[in-house]
Amino acid sequence: MNYIIGIDGGTTKIKAVLFDTTGHEIETVAAPSDIIEDGVRKELDMNFFWEKTAACVRLLMEKGPAKPEDILAVGVTGQGEGLWALDKNNRPVGRAILWNDGRAHEENWAVNEKTPGIGKLVHRNLGTPVGAGSTLLLLRWTKDNRPDVYRQIQTVLFAKDWLRYCMTDKIATDPTDGGAAYLKLIDGTPAKQALTVLSLSEVEKNIPEVLSSDTVAGALTAAAAEKMGLRTGIPVVTGAMDVVASAVGTGAVSVGNAAVVLGTTCAVEQVLRLHDCDVTRCRRHYLHHVQENLAIDLSSTINGMENVEWMMREIARSANYRVVEGLIEDTHPGSGGVIYHPYLSAAGERAPFQHRDASASFFGVNSGTTKGDLMRAVYEGLAFSVRDCLEGGSYGERLLLSGGGAGSETLSQMIADVTGQSVVVTKGSEFGALGAAMTAGVAIGLFESVGDAAAKCCRLKKIYKPRQNEMYEKGYTFYRELRAAFGPLWERRTEIFGK
């Protein structure tokens, strides 16, 4: 048999997944990404990131059933944004700064609040708003605070691009990552206006070659092949940012498709035509799809299932999801009058609104509130967040759900009930890696197109039909009202207590 390997260099985990030529997951090996955290700072050792990725692939091959000669291609995806910088010798300039890093919060405030005209101009160029973890603002922070480091930067890549360079010695990026950082949405050229207003004009020379996501970028080198347990010369495909690859892996490949990737983040993605993107809507977050004429309207929160993990650890005091969700099922919609806002990150929130001081909270707790009410409120808060992210979009009557949240029947049904949309869970679990493998299949001619790949690789697992509940309608409205009221209070909290 023949196989494709999909690599997903995620925020919290690195995954190497073996797929057959019809998209079935054969075997998976995962390892923690080993984030280095210090307050709002979140970094990765780039060399160690590559070494762990290579080790995952080697272990994958050792587990079988594939032999090196059976591998047709390697597809790659990874976390987006952040700052993955190389020097003149193509070696890392320090550690990678991740997309959920909060050190550039002052730059974020200056661009989007103090001088919002600059933020709007940048958005008209990129099609995305810039936040604390955006590449340009991290470059701005580095220039102002670490000029010695800034002067060493020769090339600005992204997670998947670094891994692919380590595999092929080919330096390049693609429109999905590059477009979210420093390329104009409409034509893919360097966003010179955005660079100029941020005093980063010199960064234009640091932009690498841009290749389409479904192009063979290079061949596996002998050194990389030895590390990975593969044969030299295997095609390695350019790939796409993880949220885009995940959308492809769930089957969101046509206009009107909507996908919800409920993992570390909660990424809500709606597919539309590229020329229908309205860059004057300065809070919309448009990304290139892997298909040239399509785009994704993305609303991606900073924290998704981290809220559930926190709840399991601090409230439920249990790692048994079956027990916890049994308690949640014993409570009623509305969580006894408790509303939870899932803004858990110390970096604030970026979608569907942007506020550097946003924080999570329970509202409405009283002496009658039970542990089950609090746990259900966290689930309802995530479901409300999904609906909040969908506001103002144009999509069909179903949501394609993937990520860790898709493994919960309770949460999947709740999202259907809250949004009023059928929630479709497709078979499989590693949709980012699958999207990378599908894109690799297109690049080597295994599939005629991305649509053909989706038709052959994406399979229905279960559909959750929405059940109308007036309490969810009222709860969602109140959730939004509270969020608006909390804005100045979040700022006041930071003034008093700091982060």
Side-chain angles (χ1 to χ4, degrees):
M1 289 187 65
N2 291 321
Y3 304 91
I4 294 176
I5 292 175
I7 294 173
D8 184 352
T11 306
T12 58
K13 287 184 179 181
I14 301 164
K15 301 173 185 177
V17 188
L18 184 69
F19 296 95
D20 68 17
T21 54
T22 57
H24 289 96
E25 293 177 20
I26 307 302
E27 189 62 75
T28 300
V29 172
S33 297
D34 293 325
I35 297 175
I36 301 165
E37 299 187 61
D38 180 13
V40 299
R41 299 185 177 214
K42 299 181 187 296
E43 301 178 341
L44 276 177
D45 183 307
M46 292 171 63
N47 287 316
F48 192 45
F49 188 67
W50 155 240
E51 294 292 338
K52 292 194 78 170
T53 300
C56 284
V57 175
R58 172 172 285 279
L59 181 55
L60 183 75
M61 294 303 296
E62 290 175 355
K63 294 177 73 172
K67 300 176 181 178
E69 58 269 23
D70 298 330
I71 305 301
L72 298 178
V74 175
V76 63
T77 184
Q79 57 189 285
E81 299 183 295
L83 181 57
W84 297 67
L86 304 184
D87 63 17
K88 63 181 181 181
N89 298 314
N90 296 330
R91 304 314 304 161
V93 180
R95 298 169 181 158
I97 304 176
L98 305 189
W99 62 270
N100 53 354
D101 186 278
R103 74 189 68 181
H105 66 275
E106 290 296 335
E107 288 76 9
N108 180 27
W109 173 81
V111 168
N112 292 301
E113 298 180 46
K114 183 181 179 181
T115 54
I118 291 179
K120 291 178 180 179
L121 185 148
V122 173
H123 186 276
R124 286 198 298 272
N125 276 252
L126 304 180
T128 71
V130 288
S134 298
T135 304
L136 291 185
L137 293 194
L138 286 171
L139 282 165
R140 180 72 252 181
W141 181 91
T142 304
K143 183 177 183 179
D144 290 342
N145 295 277
R146 295 293 307 278
D148 56 323
V149 172
Y150 185 78
R151 286 192 291 270
Q152 297 178 50
I153 297 175
Q154 183 73 26
T155 307
V156 179
L157 297 175
F158 305 93
K160 74 170 193 322
D161 302 327
W162 165 245
L163 294 177
R164 190 186 57 252
Y165 167 70
C166 291
M167 288 186 269
T168 65
D169 287 340
K170 172 68 175 182
I171 291 181
T173 190
D174 83 306
T176 66
D177 265 324
Y182 40 52
L183 301 177
K184 292 178 69 175
L185 174 73
I186 301 304
D187 60 16
T189 59
K192 294 183 179 181
Q193 283 186 323
L195 295 174
T196 299
V197 297
L198 295 175
S199 300
L200 294 170
S201 295
E202 63 277 6
V203 170
E204 184 178 352
K205 71 180 186 299
N206 304 139
I207 298 174
E209 180 182 5
V210 181
L211 302 175
S212 62
S213 304
D214 56 359
T215 295
V216 173
L220 199 65
T221 65
E226 183 177 1
K227 281 180 178 290
M228 301 170 77
L230 298 174
R231 60 181 172 83
T232 302
I234 293 175
V236 181
V237 179
T238 308
M241 185 195 302
D242 56 359
V243 291
V244 178
S246 293
V248 172
T250 59
V253 297
S254 301
V255 174
N257 291 163
V260 179
V261 185
L262 189 46
T264 303
T265 67
C266 175
V268 178
E269 307 168 89
Q270 302 170 59
V271 182
L272 70 164
R273 295 177 182 86
L274 181 60
H275 68 257
D276 287 336
C277 295
D278 184 356
V279 295
T280 66
R281 299 177 68 187
C282 63
R283 291 302 181 192
R284 306 309 292 189
H285 193 139
Y286 299 115
L287 295 175
H288 275 273
H289 198 277
V290 298
Q291 297 179 91
E292 185 177 359
N293 62 333
L294 297 183
I296 286 176
D297 185 350
L298 171 70
S299 188
S300 182
T301 65
I302 294 181
N303 285 124
M305 290 300 287
E306 174 64 21
N307 289 276
V308 173
E309 293 172 8
W310 173 82
M311 177 270 287
M312 297 282 288
R313 183 176 66 249
E314 303 296 337
I315 299 177
R317 300 295 179 92
S318 172
N320 191 323
Y321 279 87
R322 182 172 296 181
V323 171
V324 170
E325 293 192 348
L327 291 173
I328 291 173
E329 293 288 355
D330 287 339
T331 60
H332 300 289
S335 303
V338 177
I339 294 288
Y340 175 76
H341 287 92
Y343 314 137
L344 204 58
S345 173
E349 188 51 278
R350 63 180 184 177
F353 65 99
Q354 192 171 66
H355 200 301
R356 63 174 181 166
D357 298 318
S359 61
S361 62
F362 290 100
F363 181 90
V365 177
N366 58 41
S367 61
T369 300
T370 67
K371 185 179 287 189
D373 290 331
L374 295 177
M375 294 189 295
R376 185 183 188 97
V378 172
Y379 272 48
E380 288 184 353
L382 276 177
F384 289 150
S385 180
V386 170
R387 179 168 172 179
D388 208 4
C389 289
L390 286 166
E391 290 287 346
S394 178
Y395 51 94
E397 296 180 351
R398 67 177 195 168
L399 304 176
L400 300 166
L401 183 63
S402 65
S408 167
E409 293 192 3
T410 300
L411 185 53
S412 298
Q413 183 62 60
M414 197 176 290
I415 292 172
D417 296 344
V418 166
T419 63
Q421 306 293 310
S422 293
V423 168
V424 178
V425 176
T426 50
K427 289 184 178 179
S429 58
E430 305 301 338
F431 296 101
L434 176 58
M438 289 165 58
T439 306
V442 174
I444 63 173
L446 180 64
F447 307 119
E448 294 180 4
S449 64
V450 174
D452 178 48
K456 293 175 178 176
C457 297
C458 301
R459 299 169 182 84
L460 173 67
K461 180 179 180 181
K462 189 168 183 177
I463 297 178
Y464 297 87
K465 296 288 187 181
R467 303 172 302 195
Q468 188 173 9
N469 190 299
E470 187 178 359
M471 185 58 69
Y472 284 143
E473 287 299 315
K474 292 178 179 179
Y476 174 66
T477 300
F478 192 43
Y479 169 95
R480 297 248 306 180
E481 290 172 351
L482 283 173
R483 187 245 282 171
F486 281 158
L489 297 177
W490 288 329
E491 294 172 9
R492 182 65 176 146
R493 172 190 173 276
T494 300
E495 290 174 5
I496 296 172
F497 302 107
K499 282 290 184 182

